[in-house]
Amino acid sequence: MSVAPRLLFANLLLLAALGGATYAGTLLWQRVGTLQATLDEVLGEVTRMRIEQSAGAKGPRALLEKLRTYAPMLSNARVTEPDFQNARKEMMDILRAFESLGADAREPVLARLTQVNPQKDYDESRFLLEALLRIDPAGGKERLVEVLRGRLLPSPQMRWYAASKLTEVDKALAQVELRRIVTSESNRGVNPDRSAHNTPVPDPAALATSGFHNFIIHYARTEDTKLDETLLMVMQRAEHDRMTVQECVKQLGKDRYQPAVPVLEKLFHSPPLHQEDPLFLNAVLDALVDIQDKSARPFLEAELAKATHEVVAKKIQHLLDKTR
């Protein structure tokens, strides 16, 4: 046999061996996955039985009682570190136990969601939504969307939680929902001229009359491909408060979004409500330098000569030194 046929034969043997190893590896991983699922199921059952025993009740009722007990401890600053860690572990066990119950726990959790007060029972409310996501992922996601829209558990804080959780479980959907919120709402409420036809109107209790800028922060975390152009549009609207515009400024600077430069320069000369807040003006200056680097020097030099506020003047000088 010549060298070429021998090499071909050896390569075929090697490929066959590799193929067999790949198939065996695939089977092994499938078995490992099946074993892990079985172990998770057993752990969930054992955890549920332990919780039921300590609660003196059975099924969803026991888990709901424990969830209601531990949820407030996870955001109470007066809870000691050991108690906090214990409460966090117990909550993870409770959620695992809900998952092991599956569909049997769905209706009791939904019923409890209709009873809680989203302001007073914020922690319990968010963990009930976590439990629903474990029990019924699709149904849980639908409820998250309703919370984010301000139609279920109406409160700004619950909407911000829903924004964070929806970004975690379905980033594409979070992008769409948060883009709609930041382009149709402000701290003044919903602008009917900018709200799409048939878009659900939030419950008045869900409107963020203060803290609307948190929606900008959550929207930025979705990494929407339309983020920069959307924030540039939002930043130019007169209805938005200073903090909301400032969050847009910071994000556009972080993203080095060149089309924002003329708008940022205009904002520096005419800030929201015509209030020359040094913190806001300095945020605009930072964004301009983040985007342009040394190209921002002519603007900085011109503004330094006109600066009337010491804090702003020092900031401009610092940025000039930084870009020299």
Side-chain angles (χ1 to χ4, degrees):
M1 185 182 293
S2 65
V3 175
R6 282 202 301 270
L7 285 173
L8 177 61
F9 182 66
N11 286 333
L12 288 172
L13 285 175
L14 179 60
L15 288 171
L18 288 172
T22 301
Y23 177 69
T26 301
L27 286 179
L28 177 61
W29 279 114
Q30 288 175 347
R31 288 171 183 169
V32 168
T34 302
L35 178 61
Q36 184 62 53
T38 303
L39 288 173
D40 288 342
E41 186 176 345
V42 171
L43 178 60
E45 287 293 325
V46 171
T47 301
R48 178 174 60 80
M49 287 188 288
R50 176 183 68 79
I51 293 172
E52 288 176 343
Q53 187 176 19
S54 66
K58 293 287 186 181
R61 179 185 164 196
L63 300 183
L64 287 169
E65 180 182 324
K66 287 293 185 179
L67 186 148
R68 187 159 55 249
T69 299
Y70 285 107
M73 298 176 67
L74 293 172
S75 63
N76 188 338
R78 290 177 293 180
V79 173
T80 64
E81 181 64 18
D83 287 341
F84 172 81
Q85 294 298 338
N86 179 64
R88 185 166 67 173
K89 178 183 178 300
E90 285 295 323
M91 185 58 71
M92 293 304 101
D93 285 348
I94 291 165
L95 294 175
R96 184 182 294 113
F98 268 118
E99 190 172 356
S100 77
L101 273 176
D104 291 342
R106 185 176 183 274
E107 291 307 317
V109 169
L110 288 175
R112 182 57 189 161
L113 275 171
T114 65
Q115 299 166 357
V116 290
N117 181 309
Q119 285 84 25
K120 188 178 75 171
D121 306 318
Y122 167 74
D123 294 294
E124 183 183 355
S125 300
R126 67 189 178 96
F127 281 112
L128 284 169
L129 288 169
E130 293 262 8
L132 188 59
L133 281 167
R134 300 285 190 102
I135 298 162
D136 176 13
K141 189 163 68 174
E142 288 175 6
R143 295 313 190 283
L144 279 179
V145 171
E146 287 301 297
V147 173
L148 182 54
R149 290 177 174 178
R151 303 295 297 165
L152 176 67
L153 302 173
S155 85
Q157 195 176 15
M158 283 304 305
R159 293 180 80 188
W160 298 327
Y161 160 76
S164 178
K165 198 65 185 178
L166 188 61
T167 301
E168 181 184 319
V169 300
D170 192 334
K171 185 177 280 190
L173 183 55
Q175 289 168 352
V176 172
E177 291 295 329
L178 281 161
R179 189 191 316 134
R180 182 188 58 77
I181 289 171
V182 301
T183 54
S184 63
E185 294 183 40
S186 71
N187 68 324
R188 302 178 186 180
V190 178
N191 186 326
D193 296 331
R194 295 189 175 125
S195 183
H197 183 60
N198 291 330
T199 298
V201 177
D203 186 296
L207 296 174
T209 54
S210 63
F212 186 81
H213 65 278
N214 286 292
F215 285 116
I216 302 296
I217 294 171
H218 284 293
Y219 177 45
R221 289 172 182 163
T222 69
E223 301 175 328
D224 186 16
T225 56
K226 298 180 179 179
L227 175 66
D228 292 330
E229 62 185 88
T230 301
L231 295 187
L232 183 61
M233 176 174 60
V234 169
M235 189 170 72
Q236 299 177 78
R237 290 178 172 173
E239 68 258 35
H240 288 295
D241 63 290
R242 179 185 61 80
M243 283 300 297
T244 298
V245 177
Q246 187 168 311
E247 284 301 329
C248 295
V249 167
K250 288 162 62 177
Q251 186 62 41
L252 291 170
K254 180 182 176 182
D255 293 344
R256 294 179 169 85
Y257 190 57
Q258 190 67 37
V261 168
V263 179
L264 289 168
E265 292 178 347
K266 182 179 178 182
L267 269 177
F268 186 83
H269 295 135
S270 182
L273 302 178
H274 300 286
Q275 296 176 351
E276 296 189 1
D277 183 328
L279 293 179
F280 177 83
L281 297 178
N282 287 353
V284 173
L285 293 169
D286 276 329
L288 285 167
V289 172
D290 286 340
I291 296 169
Q292 300 177 98
D293 195 29
K294 289 181 174 60
S295 298
R297 288 182 63 83
F299 180 83
L300 295 174
E301 290 166 348
E303 295 307 320
L304 180 59
K306 299 182 291 183
T308 57
H309 199 292
E310 183 182 0
V311 172
V312 177
K314 286 182 176 179
K315 180 68 171 182
I316 295 173
Q317 187 59 61
H318 167 72
L319 293 172
L320 283 169
D321 293 341
K322 178 181 175 181
T323 56
R324 183 167 295 132

